[in-house]
Amino acid sequence: MGAKTWMLIYGNESISETLKKKPALDRATTVELAKRLFPSETLKPLSDVDLYYTCPPDDELIIGCFSGLNIIAAKEFGIDYPSKLPTQFLDPSLGTTLYLHAMHSTVDWFAYAIWRDGKLQRSLSLSPDSGVLEDIGMKLPFEEPYWNGQHPAIDPEDDDSDYPFVFHPLELAESALLEFFGYQLEGVIDPSQLEPESIPLMRFKRASPWWKLW
């Protein structure tokens, strides 16, 4: 399957620190939030998953509400231009800081964005086929080693490579997971990091009504 995500995480404090404490999943609040954000859809409960599985198919929703933390994974978040996230999801009441994290290993694509109090602070989206799709705001410190060539995508002695970036977007994507949330999906993983499998999430089947009002 490879490493994939398309998710939003809202938090009022350090998300990595909150997740490290293994907060309890609030199932009643999770159901309420799912219905609130997707009011036009019928949501059928399915078996739970965990934080490792935040790349649901188009007809599923993955969501979890914890004290001071909300996690949502859905097709709407796998977008090339994070700054165009639908406004219904820019709700500071769900957390003062909102992160979007999306990546797809098959095409080496990565996108992320950060909003604070509903205002966009940083957005980046890039892949080798499409180039840099979006680059808004100042680069964050965890990005700098990649842009500076400290994690080369190719062997420096390989003069024949035409790879367009000095790093692989997927490697930056894994660093973003670690920087913001305290875990990784692939690569060299420190055993002291959070195990995403330890954070349960609810899963729902999504179905839109077949009728439409004109």
Side-chain angles (χ1 to χ4, degrees), residues 39-141:
S40 65
E41 299 187 14
T42 300
L43 300 175
K44 178 183 177 181
L46 299 173
S47 58
D48 284 357
V49 290
D50 56 59
L51 191 56
Y52 191 90
Y53 298 96
T54 50
C55 56
D58 290 354
D59 62 347
E60 291 185 10
L61 169 68
I62 294 173
I63 184 169
C65 294
F66 309 84
S67 178
L69 180 69
N70 296 291
I71 301 172
I72 309 169
K75 62 182 179 181
E76 286 83 356
F77 315 138
I79 52 179
D80 288 335
Y81 300 91
S83 65
K84 297 182 179 180
L85 180 72
T87 56
Q88 72 205 64
F89 300 109
L90 300 177
D91 186 349
S93 71
L94 298 177
T96 54
T97 303
L98 165 61
Y99 295 88
L100 179 150
H101 188 286
M103 65 180 181
H104 199 306
S105 59
T106 303
V107 293
D108 203 9
W109 166 71
F110 168 53
Y112 91 96
I114 303 174
W115 292 261
R116 290 192 171 88
D117 296 320
K119 296 181 180 180
L120 183 66
Q121 304 293 308
R122 175 68 172 136
S123 178
L124 176 69
S125 176
L126 71 168
S127 74
D129 290 337
S130 301
V132 176
L133 295 162
E134 189 162 83
D135 186 357
I136 300 172
M138 298 292 292
K139 292 180 176 62
L140 297 187

Side-chain angles (χ1 to χ4, degrees), residues 178 182-184 187-195:
L178 183 60
Y183 73 94
Q184 293 176 269
V188 179
I189 298 176
D190 187 325
S192 66
Q193 294 175 16
L194 173 75
E195 295 181 352

